[in-house]
Amino acid sequence: MMNNILIIGAHYDDSELGVGGTAAKLAAQGKNVYKLTLTDNVTYSAHLHIDVAYETSVSESARACEVLGVKEITEFQPVECCQLFYNTEIMQRVEDTIYKYNIDTVFMHYTDDLNQDHISASKICLTAARHCPNILMYQSNQYILAKPYYPSLFFDISDYIDKKREALYQYTGDHNRYNALFETTIEKNHIWGYSNHCSYAEGFVVHKFRL
Ligand SMILES: [Zn+2]
């Protein structure tokens, strides 16, 4: 049962990177697909040559959602990037959002990620979504994590890979890390497609899933 789906990301592009094709597919099937972002995405690192601003992230996210047919939740006040930590206040705000939109399926960050915002988002979401029938985890970065990311549930997104790519390229500048993250992500979708006898697939780690 997947009717009201919520994709939760720590940063604006996490949802498109991890779940973009699946989001477009479910939206095309008439499901309600929502997106929630927990931080303001402001990132500056001279060392890593990364510079991402809030206002552009917001407008680019809106365009990406339009491409995918996703409804973005904008009333949620994001916290400062890199300052996302589990606490009761933010967990309950996410929980309230889940109840408000009658969410049955949550896509959330993988619990053994290594980005600190992703780790916090995962912890917050796992508690906030504990009463949802379906909880699926995604990976939005492509580095080696604390524990291997080994997906076991796959969505065939062959017909939606163009929409995923179009949504990703709404994000400009350093969202596309080293000018390679978007295409690397799509290549991984290609590999998972091969594993599943289709062209492109997104893969998820199942926390729980009710048929
Ligand atoms: Zn992220």
Side-chain angles (χ1 to χ4, degrees):
M1 180 196 67
M2 298 176 75
N3 292 314
N4 297 313
I5 296 118
L6 177 62
I7 306 165
I8 305 176
H11 313 110
Y12 283 98
D13 55 1
D14 287 323
S15 296
E16 288 81 6
L17 285 162
V19 197
T22 301
K25 182 174 190 171
L26 293 170
Q29 291 172 355
K31 316 278 190 184
N32 293 309
V33 185
Y34 301 97
K35 169 181 170 177
L36 176 65
T37 304
L38 299 181
T39 79
D40 63 14
N41 215 150
V42 176
T43 314
Y44 178 76
S45 168
H47 183 62
L48 295 175
H49 307 288
I50 296 169
D51 189 1
V52 174
Y54 175 59
E55 291 76 12
T56 49
S57 297
V58 169
S59 58
E60 289 165 358
S61 177
R63 290 204 296 274
C65 285
E66 204 175 315
V67 168
L68 298 175
V70 167
K71 301 163 187 177
E72 187 158 33
I73 294 170
T74 55
E75 74 267 18
F76 191 97
Q77 187 62 37
V79 306
E80 195 181 332
C81 193
C82 302
Q83 297 299 322
L84 182 66
F85 300 105
Y86 182 95
N87 62 57
T88 305
E89 186 265 336
I90 190 157
M91 187 281 290
Q92 287 182 336
R93 283 207 286 136
V94 174
E95 191 177 34
D96 288 346
T97 304
I98 288 169
Y99 281 112
K100 180 178 176 184
Y101 292 93
N102 196 24
I103 298 300
D104 51 55
T105 303
V106 169
F107 286 90
M108 52 167 275
H109 285 284
Y110 181 50
T111 41
D112 291 292
D113 205 300
L114 281 179
N115 176 290
Q116 64 177 19
D117 285 336
H118 295 182
I119 297 168
S120 297
S122 186
K123 191 168 166 51
I124 291 162
C125 293
L126 199 55
T127 300
R130 66 196 180 282
H131 297 301
C132 290
N134 308 319
I135 302 178
L136 301 172
M137 301 185 189
Y138 67 86
Q139 181 184 4
S140 57
N141 46 35
Q142 295 301 339
Y143 42 82
I144 301 302
L145 304 181
K147 288 182 185 168
Y149 182 81
Y150 195 75
S152 56
L153 181 70
F154 296 88
F155 284 74
D156 176 357
I157 61 160
S158 306
D159 293 338
Y160 297 92
I161 194 66
D162 292 341
K163 275 195 182 298
K164 175 168 181 166
R165 180 181 271 112
E166 188 184 346
L168 285 172
Y169 280 98
Q170 299 306 310
Y171 293 97
T172 57
D174 295 329
H175 281 280
N176 190 9
R177 294 283 194 272
Y178 315 116
N179 277 322
L181 176 61
F182 294 169
E183 291 304 322
T184 304
T185 299
I186 289 166
E187 266 314 300
K188 185 167 269 186
N189 296 147
H190 198 192
I191 293 166
W192 284 337
Y194 179 84
S195 311
N196 288 280
H197 308 288
C198 60
S199 297
Y200 291 90
E202 284 173 339
F204 303 100
V205 170
V206 177
H207 178 68
K208 61 172 176 167
F209 196 79
R210 188 177 79 193
L211 286 173

